[in-house]
Amino acid sequence: MKICVLCGGRSNERDVSLSTGTMVAKALRASGHKVVFLDACEGFELNKMSPSELYDAEIPMAERKISEAAPDVSKYFGRKEGFFGKSVLDICREADIVFNALHGDEGENGMVQAVLDLLGIRYTGSGMQGCILAMNKHLSKQLFIANGIPTPPAVYLTNGISDDPDWRRHIGFPCVVKPGSLGSSVGVSIVYNDAELDAALREASRFESLVIIEKYIRGREFSVGIVGGKALPAIEIIPKHGFYDYKNKYQAGCTEEICPAELDEAVAQRMGETAVKVFKVLDLGAYARVDFMMDESGFYVLEANTLPGMTPISLLPQEAKAAGISFNNLLETIIEESLSLKK
């Protein structure tokens, strides 16, 4: 099968995406597929080579490392060619399927999915609608509430104006301040008092005009992967210092992960069932990951991730391994599930 692994992009998760793309491309080549590793924003200079010939070339890939801080992606904005680099869509058209390894922004908010849909290009993961609903934390939380899915209470600020002027009484401290539709904990702060609030709001507002202030759940953190509509074993996430921020997510040794998580069997089952319900409510497809916090009163859904990372220390591959699914078989299942969807 000819597969284009589309990665990179211009979100703050660019480095994570390149790492995911490298891991995925190498594994798919090892499984016998003809694979092109393609940076969505950098593109590829074909010269006299046709897109079809590119799939036979097996161009070597450099190792990709994730830095401790999100990268500077400013050079990819405001340019004449827009989001996609040279020959990207021509190379995607030649593929039997595009493995979408983009993280954040256009790769997960439905924009890339819409372009591929319009061009009749098949791709992995959720369609445009599911991506829009999951990426916008305001929309997804409203759907959680409407469908009886437990989620921490929150208020929403647009350009600094709150939908609840009395939010301090309803939410209180500590609270979590975060941009409305970013991933990888970019722009997220845990705030304990008014003195810290202004700095946290400025930080989140650097990325988006919509900011969420959410009740902080002090307790244990979990994630549950969904593949083909079925829940994988839950994984517990225990950062060694601070919370599960960008550095702790992607730097080896910063976080302890336990999979399967040490949970009461009934609780683990309910958490898996809730993850599947989230998957269906948000109209997701093929695979996803749902994040939870749990305190003494129960567990709460934080958000759903439509394109979980596939880096060396990512959560979904660890969960799949605990279920007896190898990394290569996980990718094959994702491709099969995606091809079966009507996009």
Side-chain angles (χ1 to χ4, degrees), residues 287-305:
Y287 73 121
R289 200 192 71 229
V290 180
D291 298 334
F292 295 84
M293 289 296 298
M294 186 172 78
D295 63 13
E296 63 279 356
S297 63
F299 58 76
Y300 303 83
V301 173
L302 299 180
E303 61 185 73
N305 188 323

Side-chain angles (χ1 to χ4, degrees), residues 14 19 23 57 70 72 76 95 105 112 130 138 208 231 272:
R14 174 178 170 79
S19 181
M23 290 282 292
D72 179 7
Y76 297 114
D105 289 7
V112 166
H138 183 197
E208 291 185 23

Side-chain angles (χ1 to χ4, degrees), residues 35-69:
V35 178
V36 169
F37 173 91
L38 186 61
D39 187 322
C41 287
E42 289 288 342
F44 187 84
E45 185 61 63
L46 287 169
N47 294 321
K48 294 182 179 180
M49 183 186 297
S50 70
S52 180
E53 290 169 331
L54 181 60
Y55 283 88
D56 293 316
E58 292 210 358
I59 295 170
M61 294 168 287
E63 291 294 328
R64 306 284 181 165
K65 292 185 178 181
I66 303 172
S67 60
E68 291 189 4

